[in-house]
Amino acid sequence: LYAFRQADYEDGIAEVYNRALHVPEFDVPEDSEGRPLPLLHRNFDAAAIEAKWFGEPEAKEDADDPWSRPGVVVIDDVLSPEALARIRQLLLEKTVFYQTKMPLRFGGYAGAYIDDGLHDRILLALAFELNRALPRIMRGNPLKYLWAYKYDSEYTGISTHADQAAVNVNIWLTPDEAVLEEGQGGLVVFTARPPPGSNFDYYNKNTQKAIEEIIKPTGFQNVTVPFRYNRCVMFDSALFHHTDSLSFKKGYENRRINLTLLYGEMKTGGVGGATSVPDEL
């Protein structure tokens, strides 16, 4: 890690480093009579989402969604226009991105977390609204954690891992005009699951073992979802995944931003009582 020099202190680094210098108030949007407006888009189809999640016959064929399958569901235009604009502005302005992440190189992306400044009412309201909107998926799975990441304009993405939760929700919050490589910058979700009864912590801390023993035997079968503004990828959090390689325009407002919400505790027995997730790609 970078060690501050005396010259840095003389320039005033201690007065600004890891400090919430700008904390704007972003409450839930309201109508003309002061009633909270929905944060999810008016076209949010909970029944269709849950049918896709559980692989039910009611799940309709969708030519615009070749990615969804049991345990992995893509939701376009997930947020209402008002919520989208307000949450994006919040994540652009608020100075609580304290953690510099360094899985492959120092400074590739920065993180902000619910227990360290990213606990705005609108984000918590979104987490609860999403939980209520999908009762069959979210039953017994309360909000566990929440974070947001901002990336460098050119990056290979977060390395392969899984997050300790039951349901993983990723929402992308950078306009499509910022994306230089169409079809990239999204998420790669591997469809192989850790075997029932396996030591998940062991695999998550030994990524190469997970790749060799769980992912490689399937031929690296995966669902690769391209980046799109206001797109949500919701998936079984026991599935290993990584951020796809990305190339975005230079400039602060063009940086890739994702908001992640984790719900519940990890279940290794399969989605909705199933034992596996169908393979793809």
Side-chain angles (χ1 to χ4, degrees):
L1 294 177
Y2 175 78
F4 292 139
R5 303 164 300 171
Q6 182 60 35
D8 296 320
Y9 288 103
E10 292 172 358
D11 287 339
I13 188 67
E15 298 175 8
V16 297
Y17 182 72
N18 274 5
R19 292 180 182 268
L21 298 175
H22 183 62
V23 185
E25 292 292 333
F26 287 93
D27 210 338
V28 177
E30 297 178 343
D31 64 16
S32 59
E33 298 183 4
R35 293 172 296 198
L37 291 171
L39 300 177
L40 297 174
H41 197 280
R42 65 172 182 245
N43 294 331
F44 185 91
D45 189 340
I49 292 167
E50 293 194 317
K52 290 179 179 180
W53 179 270
F54 291 110
E56 296 170 343
E58 295 81 4
K60 300 176 182 177
E61 291 289 334
D62 186 348
D64 295 325
D65 176 16
W67 310 285
S68 293
R69 65 210 60 246
V72 182
V73 179
V74 175
I75 309 163
D76 280 335
D77 301 317
V78 63
L79 301 178
S80 71
E82 298 84 0
L84 177 62
R86 193 164 292 194
I87 291 174
R88 172 167 164 76
Q89 186 178 0
L90 162 67
L91 296 177
L92 283 173
E93 292 187 11
K94 195 168 186 182
T95 58
V96 295
F97 285 77
Y98 300 138
Q99 186 175 29
T100 302
K101 306 290 284 187
M102 48 180 298
L104 298 177
R105 75 168 190 268
F106 178 67
Y109 62 105
Y113 302 87
I114 190 173
D115 53 355
D116 198 11
L118 195 66
H119 42 62
D120 304 81
R121 290 180 181 178
I122 190 170
L123 298 180
L124 298 178
L126 171 63
F128 296 140
E129 184 174 332
L130 188 60
N131 185 276
R132 291 192 300 269
L134 300 169
R136 291 201 294 144
I137 296 173
M138 296 294 186
R139 184 176 296 117
N141 295 320
L143 178 68
K144 180 178 183 180
Y145 206 50
L146 177 155
W147 67 73
Y149 289 150
K150 294 179 187 176
Y151 293 77
D152 202 352
S153 55
E154 299 279 344
Y155 199 61
T156 54
I158 301 175
S159 56
T160 302
H161 67 288
D163 299 298
Q164 282 281 12
V167 181
N168 192 316
V169 177
N170 271 247
I171 302 174
W172 297 328
L173 297 164
T174 305
D176 294 331
E177 302 80 60
V179 181
L180 292 176
E181 296 291 339
E182 186 176 354
Q184 296 186 2
L187 192 67
V188 179
V189 182
F190 293 99
T191 55
R193 299 174 55 85
S198 62
N199 186 333
F200 177 81
D201 284 339
Y202 166 77
Y203 283 117
N204 212 25
K205 293 175 181 176
N206 297 273
T207 304
Q208 196 56 41
K209 285 285 187 181
I211 292 173
E212 291 295 325
E213 297 178 11
I214 298 175
I215 299 172
K216 185 177 179 179
T218 70
F220 296 90
Q221 291 165 337
N222 69 85
V223 181
T224 298
V225 184
F227 185 94
R228 181 179 170 183
Y229 190 33
N230 201 18
R231 170 173 281 172
C232 169
V233 183
M234 181 174 66
F235 58 97
D236 180 345
S237 203
L239 298 177
F240 287 90
H241 57 281
H242 66 245
T243 309
D244 199 6
S245 297
L246 57 98
S247 179
F248 281 52
K249 293 179 181 177
K250 301 289 185 181
Y252 177 69
E253 293 191 2
N254 292 321
R255 297 296 176 89
R256 181 189 192 274
I257 300 176
N258 79 271
L259 175 67
T260 297
L261 303 96
L262 300 183
Y263 293 90
E265 298 298 329
M266 182 175 289
K267 302 172 178 63
T268 58
V271 177
T275 58
S276 63
V277 178
D279 297 329
E280 178 69 10
L281 301 180

mmCIF file of all heavy atoms in Angstrom, residues 131-158:
data_model
loop_
_atom_site.group_PDB
_atom_site.id
_atom_site.type_symbol
_atom_site.label_atom_id
_atom_site.label_comp_id
_atom_site.label_asym_id
_atom_site.label_seq_id
_atom_site.Cartn_x
_atom_site.Cartn_y
_atom_site.Cartn_z
ATOM 1 N N ASN A 131 -37.110 -6.758 -1.312
ATOM 2 C CA ASN A 131 -37.373 -7.932 -0.483
ATOM 3 C C ASN A 131 -38.871 -8.236 -0.427
ATOM 4 O O ASN A 131 -39.292 -9.393 -0.547
ATOM 5 C CB ASN A 131 -36.821 -7.693 0.924
ATOM 6 C CG ASN A 131 -36.945 -8.907 1.815
ATOM 7 O OD1 ASN A 131 -37.988 -9.131 2.413
ATOM 8 N ND2 ASN A 131 -35.893 -9.701 1.905
ATOM 9 N N ARG A 132 -39.690 -7.194 -0.281
ATOM 10 C CA ARG A 132 -41.144 -7.392 -0.216
ATOM 11 C C ARG A 132 -41.730 -7.781 -1.570
ATOM 12 O O ARG A 132 -42.725 -8.509 -1.643
ATOM 13 C CB ARG A 132 -41.823 -6.121 0.288
ATOM 14 C CG ARG A 132 -41.544 -5.792 1.745
ATOM 15 C CD ARG A 132 -42.486 -4.696 2.235
ATOM 16 N NE ARG A 132 -42.320 -3.467 1.463
ATOM 17 C CZ ARG A 132 -41.484 -2.488 1.779
ATOM 18 N NH1 ARG A 132 -40.721 -2.611 2.859
ATOM 19 N NH2 ARG A 132 -41.398 -1.406 1.043
ATOM 20 N N ALA A 133 -41.116 -7.288 -2.648
ATOM 21 C CA ALA A 133 -41.674 -7.516 -3.981
ATOM 22 C C ALA A 133 -41.526 -8.954 -4.443
ATOM 23 O O ALA A 133 -42.267 -9.394 -5.328
ATOM 24 C CB ALA A 133 -41.000 -6.577 -4.983
ATOM 25 N N LEU A 134 -40.575 -9.687 -3.869
ATOM 26 C CA LEU A 134 -40.288 -11.061 -4.315
ATOM 27 C C LEU A 134 -40.406 -12.022 -3.126
ATOM 28 O O LEU A 134 -39.421 -12.596 -2.664
ATOM 29 C CB LEU A 134 -38.884 -11.128 -4.920
ATOM 30 C CG LEU A 134 -38.656 -10.214 -6.137
ATOM 31 C CD1 LEU A 134 -37.171 -10.148 -6.483
ATOM 32 C CD2 LEU A 134 -39.479 -10.699 -7.329
ATOM 33 N N PRO A 135 -41.602 -12.222 -2.625
ATOM 34 C CA PRO A 135 -41.756 -12.977 -1.370
ATOM 35 C C PRO A 135 -41.294 -14.420 -1.441
ATOM 36 O O PRO A 135 -40.786 -14.962 -0.455
ATOM 37 C CB PRO A 135 -43.262 -12.879 -1.087
ATOM 38 C CG PRO A 135 -43.884 -12.612 -2.431
ATOM 39 C CD PRO A 135 -42.900 -11.761 -3.157
ATOM 40 N N ARG A 136 -41.460 -15.077 -2.577
ATOM 41 C CA ARG A 136 -41.064 -16.486 -2.639
ATOM 42 C C ARG A 136 -39.544 -16.640 -2.679
ATOM 43 O O ARG A 136 -38.992 -17.572 -2.095
ATOM 44 C CB ARG A 136 -41.694 -17.157 -3.867
ATOM 45 C CG ARG A 136 -43.204 -17.301 -3.753
ATOM 46 C CD ARG A 136 -43.711 -18.382 -4.681
ATOM 47 N NE ARG A 136 -43.523 -18.001 -6.087
ATOM 48 C CZ ARG A 136 -43.207 -18.854 -7.057
ATOM 49 N NH1 ARG A 136 -43.005 -20.134 -6.779
ATOM 50 N NH2 ARG A 136 -43.091 -18.437 -8.307
ATOM 51 N N ILE A 137 -38.868 -15.731 -3.355
ATOM 52 C CA ILE A 137 -37.406 -15.776 -3.403
ATOM 53 C C ILE A 137 -36.815 -15.310 -2.078
ATOM 54 O O ILE A 137 -35.848 -15.881 -1.564
ATOM 55 C CB ILE A 137 -36.874 -14.901 -4.559
ATOM 56 C CG1 ILE A 137 -37.329 -15.458 -5.897
ATOM 57 C CG2 ILE A 137 -35.350 -14.796 -4.505
ATOM 58 C CD1 ILE A 137 -36.995 -14.569 -7.081
ATOM 59 N N MET A 138 -37.400 -14.276 -1.513
ATOM 60 C CA MET A 138 -36.811 -13.618 -0.353
ATOM 61 C C MET A 138 -37.314 -14.149 0.986
ATOM 62 O O MET A 138 -36.837 -13.702 2.035
ATOM 63 C CB MET A 138 -37.092 -12.110 -0.419
ATOM 64 C CG MET A 138 -36.444 -11.419 -1.599
ATOM 65 S SD MET A 138 -34.636 -11.453 -1.479
ATOM 66 C CE MET A 138 -34.195 -10.432 -2.893
ATOM 67 N N ARG A 139 -38.229 -15.088 0.966
ATOM 68 C CA ARG A 139 -38.754 -15.611 2.231
ATOM 69 C C ARG A 139 -37.616 -16.172 3.089
ATOM 70 O O ARG A 139 -36.858 -17.035 2.670
ATOM 71 C CB ARG A 139 -39.789 -16.700 1.976
ATOM 72 C CG ARG A 139 -40.460 -17.222 3.254
ATOM 73 C CD ARG A 139 -41.540 -18.240 2.950
ATOM 74 N NE ARG A 139 -42.636 -17.648 2.198
ATOM 75 C CZ ARG A 139 -42.981 -18.012 0.972
ATOM 76 N NH1 ARG A 139 -42.309 -18.962 0.339
ATOM 77 N NH2 ARG A 139 -44.002 -17.438 0.362
ATOM 78 N N GLY A 140 -37.481 -15.640 4.294
ATOM 79 C CA GLY A 140 -36.409 -16.069 5.186
ATOM 80 C C GLY A 140 -35.055 -15.498 4.836
ATOM 81 O O GLY A 140 -34.046 -15.917 5.412
ATOM 82 N N ASN A 141 -35.022 -14.536 3.906
ATOM 83 C CA ASN A 141 -33.756 -13.954 3.463
ATOM 84 C C ASN A 141 -33.770 -12.424 3.638
ATOM 85 O O ASN A 141 -33.943 -11.683 2.667
ATOM 86 C CB ASN A 141 -33.494 -14.299 1.991
ATOM 87 C CG ASN A 141 -33.293 -15.773 1.758
ATOM 88 O OD1 ASN A 141 -32.651 -16.457 2.557
ATOM 89 N ND2 ASN A 141 -33.845 -16.289 0.676
ATOM 90 N N PRO A 142 -33.602 -11.934 4.847
ATOM 91 C CA PRO A 142 -33.560 -10.483 5.057
ATOM 92 C C PRO A 142 -32.269 -9.887 4.503
ATOM 93 O O PRO A 142 -31.310 -10.615 4.194
ATOM 94 C CB PRO A 142 -33.603 -10.350 6.580
ATOM 95 C CG PRO A 142 -32.971 -11.615 7.077
ATOM 96 C CD PRO A 142 -33.400 -12.686 6.101
ATOM 97 N N LEU A 143 -32.243 -8.576 4.378
ATOM 98 C CA LEU A 143 -31.028 -7.898 3.930
ATOM 99 C C LEU A 143 -29.873 -8.248 4.860
ATOM 100 O O LEU A 143 -29.976 -8.155 6.079
ATOM 101 C CB LEU A 143 -31.239 -6.385 3.924
ATOM 102 C CG LEU A 143 -30.016 -5.550 3.508
ATOM 103 C CD1 LEU A 143 -29.684 -5.770 2.037
ATOM 104 C CD2 LEU A 143 -30.259 -4.067 3.787
ATOM 105 N N LYS A 144 -28.757 -8.646 4.266
ATOM 106 C CA LYS A 144 -27.568 -9.008 5.038
ATOM 107 C C LYS A 144 -26.471 -7.959 4.912
ATOM 108 O O LYS A 144 -25.815 -7.614 5.894
ATOM 109 C CB LYS A 144 -27.043 -10.368 4.571
ATOM 110 C CG LYS A 144 -25.795 -10.830 5.321
ATOM 111 C CD LYS A 144 -25.344 -12.204 4.869
ATOM 112 C CE LYS A 144 -24.134 -12.669 5.684
ATOM 113 N NZ LYS A 144 -23.677 -14.018 5.254
ATOM 114 N N TYR A 145 -26.271 -7.439 3.701
ATOM 115 C CA TYR A 145 -25.182 -6.475 3.498
ATOM 116 C C TYR A 145 -25.442 -5.693 2.221
ATOM 117 O O TYR A 145 -26.256 -6.107 1.368
ATOM 118 C CB TYR A 145 -23.843 -7.205 3.411
ATOM 119 C CG TYR A 145 -22.658 -6.364 3.831
ATOM 120 C CD1 TYR A 145 -22.673 -5.660 5.036
ATOM 121 C CD2 TYR A 145 -21.524 -6.270 3.038
ATOM 122 C CE1 TYR A 145 -21.583 -4.899 5.429
ATOM 123 C CE2 TYR A 145 -20.427 -5.514 3.426
ATOM 124 C CZ TYR A 145 -20.474 -4.826 4.628
ATOM 125 O OH TYR A 145 -19.400 -4.064 5.016
ATOM 126 N N LEU A 146 -24.757 -4.567 2.082
ATOM 127 C CA LEU A 146 -24.951 -3.684 0.932
ATOM 128 C C LEU A 146 -23.657 -2.937 0.679
ATOM 129 O O LEU A 146 -23.004 -2.489 1.625
ATOM 130 C CB LEU A 146 -26.107 -2.718 1.225
ATOM 131 C CG LEU A 146 -26.504 -1.641 0.229
ATOM 132 C CD1 LEU A 146 -27.976 -1.265 0.447
ATOM 133 C CD2 LEU A 146 -25.643 -0.388 0.335
ATOM 134 N N TRP A 147 -23.277 -2.816 -0.598
ATOM 135 C CA TRP A 147 -22.096 -2.021 -0.926
ATOM 136 C C TRP A 147 -22.208 -1.468 -2.342
ATOM 137 O O TRP A 147 -23.084 -1.866 -3.120
ATOM 138 C CB TRP A 147 -20.817 -2.848 -0.787
ATOM 139 C CG TRP A 147 -20.625 -3.971 -1.760
ATOM 140 C CD1 TRP A 147 -20.308 -3.870 -3.092
ATOM 141 C CD2 TRP A 147 -20.719 -5.378 -1.484
ATOM 142 N NE1 TRP A 147 -20.195 -5.124 -3.658
ATOM 143 C CE2 TRP A 147 -20.435 -6.061 -2.696
ATOM 144 C CE3 TRP A 147 -20.988 -6.113 -0.332
ATOM 145 C CZ2 TRP A 147 -20.444 -7.447 -2.781
ATOM 146 C CZ3 TRP A 147 -20.988 -7.495 -0.423
ATOM 147 C CH2 TRP A 147 -20.723 -8.142 -1.631
ATOM 148 N N ALA A 148 -21.314 -0.565 -2.678
ATOM 149 C CA ALA A 148 -21.198 -0.047 -4.041
ATOM 150 C C ALA A 148 -19.724 0.031 -4.398
ATOM 151 O O ALA A 148 -18.881 0.323 -3.547
ATOM 152 C CB ALA A 148 -21.852 1.329 -4.155
ATOM 153 N N TYR A 149 -19.420 -0.226 -5.684
ATOM 154 C CA TYR A 149 -18.051 -0.140 -6.191
ATOM 155 C C TYR A 149 -17.994 0.826 -7.368
ATOM 156 O O TYR A 149 -18.919 0.871 -8.197
ATOM 157 C CB TYR A 149 -17.539 -1.502 -6.654
ATOM 158 C CG TYR A 149 -17.250 -2.496 -5.548
ATOM 159 C CD1 TYR A 149 -17.383 -3.860 -5.770
ATOM 160 C CD2 TYR A 149 -16.837 -2.072 -4.286
ATOM 161 C CE1 TYR A 149 -17.105 -4.787 -4.770
ATOM 162 C CE2 TYR A 149 -16.563 -2.989 -3.281
ATOM 163 C CZ TYR A 149 -16.701 -4.347 -3.528
ATOM 164 O OH TYR A 149 -16.435 -5.250 -2.530
ATOM 165 N N LYS A 150 -16.879 1.558 -7.460
ATOM 166 C CA LYS A 150 -16.555 2.382 -8.631
ATOM 167 C C LYS A 150 -15.232 1.878 -9.188
ATOM 168 O O LYS A 150 -14.275 1.693 -8.432
ATOM 169 C CB LYS A 150 -16.408 3.860 -8.241
ATOM 170 C CG LYS A 150 -17.664 4.532 -7.766
ATOM 171 C CD LYS A 150 -17.360 5.989 -7.401
ATOM 172 C CE LYS A 150 -18.555 6.658 -6.763
ATOM 173 N NZ LYS A 150 -18.231 8.028 -6.324
ATOM 174 N N TYR A 151 -15.185 1.691 -10.508
ATOM 175 C CA TYR A 151 -14.030 1.070 -11.157
ATOM 176 C C TYR A 151 -13.214 2.073 -11.963
ATOM 177 O O TYR A 151 -13.722 3.097 -12.416
ATOM 178 C CB TYR A 151 -14.502 -0.036 -12.110
ATOM 179 C CG TYR A 151 -15.117 -1.217 -11.425
ATOM 180 C CD1 TYR A 151 -16.418 -1.157 -10.920
ATOM 181 C CD2 TYR A 151 -14.420 -2.407 -11.273
ATOM 182 C CE1 TYR A 151 -16.991 -2.247 -10.294
ATOM 183 C CE2 TYR A 151 -14.987 -3.503 -10.650
ATOM 184 C CZ TYR A 151 -16.273 -3.417 -10.158
ATOM 185 O OH TYR A 151 -16.842 -4.496 -9.525
ATOM 186 N N ASP A 152 -11.954 1.715 -12.174
ATOM 187 C CA ASP A 152 -11.136 2.424 -13.134
ATOM 188 C C ASP A 152 -11.751 2.223 -14.520
ATOM 189 O O ASP A 152 -12.530 1.285 -14.737
ATOM 190 C CB ASP A 152 -9.703 1.889 -13.095
ATOM 191 C CG ASP A 152 -8.697 2.878 -13.639
ATOM 192 O OD1 ASP A 152 -9.116 3.916 -14.183
ATOM 193 O OD2 ASP A 152 -7.489 2.612 -13.513
ATOM 194 N N SER A 153 -11.421 3.077 -15.472
ATOM 195 C CA SER A 153 -12.048 3.004 -16.791
ATOM 196 C C SER A 153 -11.637 1.759 -17.574
ATOM 197 O O SER A 153 -12.397 1.271 -18.417
ATOM 198 C CB SER A 153 -11.733 4.265 -17.595
ATOM 199 O OG SER A 153 -10.343 4.468 -17.666
ATOM 200 N N GLU A 154 -10.455 1.239 -17.326
ATOM 201 C CA GLU A 154 -9.992 0.003 -17.957
ATOM 202 C C GLU A 154 -9.635 -0.977 -16.841
ATOM 203 O O GLU A 154 -8.806 -0.683 -15.990
ATOM 204 C CB GLU A 154 -8.751 0.256 -18.827
ATOM 205 C CG GLU A 154 -8.980 1.227 -19.966
ATOM 206 C CD GLU A 154 -9.626 0.573 -21.163
ATOM 207 O OE1 GLU A 154 -9.615 -0.681 -21.218
ATOM 208 O OE2 GLU A 154 -10.134 1.291 -22.039
ATOM 209 N N TYR A 155 -10.279 -2.149 -16.859
ATOM 210 C CA TYR A 155 -10.011 -3.081 -15.762
ATOM 211 C C TYR A 155 -10.413 -4.478 -16.176
ATOM 212 O O TYR A 155 -11.298 -4.678 -17.017
ATOM 213 C CB TYR A 155 -10.785 -2.654 -14.502
ATOM 214 C CG TYR A 155 -10.239 -3.251 -13.224
ATOM 215 C CD1 TYR A 155 -8.938 -2.980 -12.818
ATOM 216 C CD2 TYR A 155 -11.008 -4.099 -12.452
ATOM 217 C CE1 TYR A 155 -8.422 -3.538 -11.654
ATOM 218 C CE2 TYR A 155 -10.501 -4.644 -11.281
ATOM 219 C CZ TYR A 155 -9.206 -4.368 -10.898
ATOM 220 O OH TYR A 155 -8.702 -4.913 -9.755
ATOM 221 N N THR A 156 -9.772 -5.448 -15.574
ATOM 222 C CA THR A 156 -10.104 -6.843 -15.860
ATOM 223 C C THR A 156 -11.226 -7.353 -14.966
ATOM 224 O O THR A 156 -11.730 -8.448 -15.177
ATOM 225 C CB THR A 156 -8.871 -7.742 -15.668
ATOM 226 O OG1 THR A 156 -8.337 -7.537 -14.358
ATOM 227 C CG2 THR A 156 -7.810 -7.423 -16.697
ATOM 228 N N GLY A 157 -11.640 -6.557 -13.971
ATOM 229 C CA GLY A 157 -12.761 -6.938 -13.138
ATOM 230 C C GLY A 157 -12.361 -7.705 -11.893
ATOM 231 O O GLY A 157 -11.236 -8.161 -11.743
ATOM 232 N N ILE A 158 -13.312 -7.828 -10.970
ATOM 233 C CA ILE A 158 -13.085 -8.564 -9.735
ATOM 234 C C ILE A 158 -12.889 -10.039 -10.058
ATOM 235 O O ILE A 158 -13.577 -10.609 -10.895
ATOM 236 C CB ILE A 158 -14.278 -8.376 -8.782
ATOM 237 C CG1 ILE A 158 -14.468 -6.885 -8.469
ATOM 238 C CG2 ILE A 158 -14.086 -9.164 -7.500
ATOM 239 C CD1 ILE A 158 -15.689 -6.593 -7.629
#
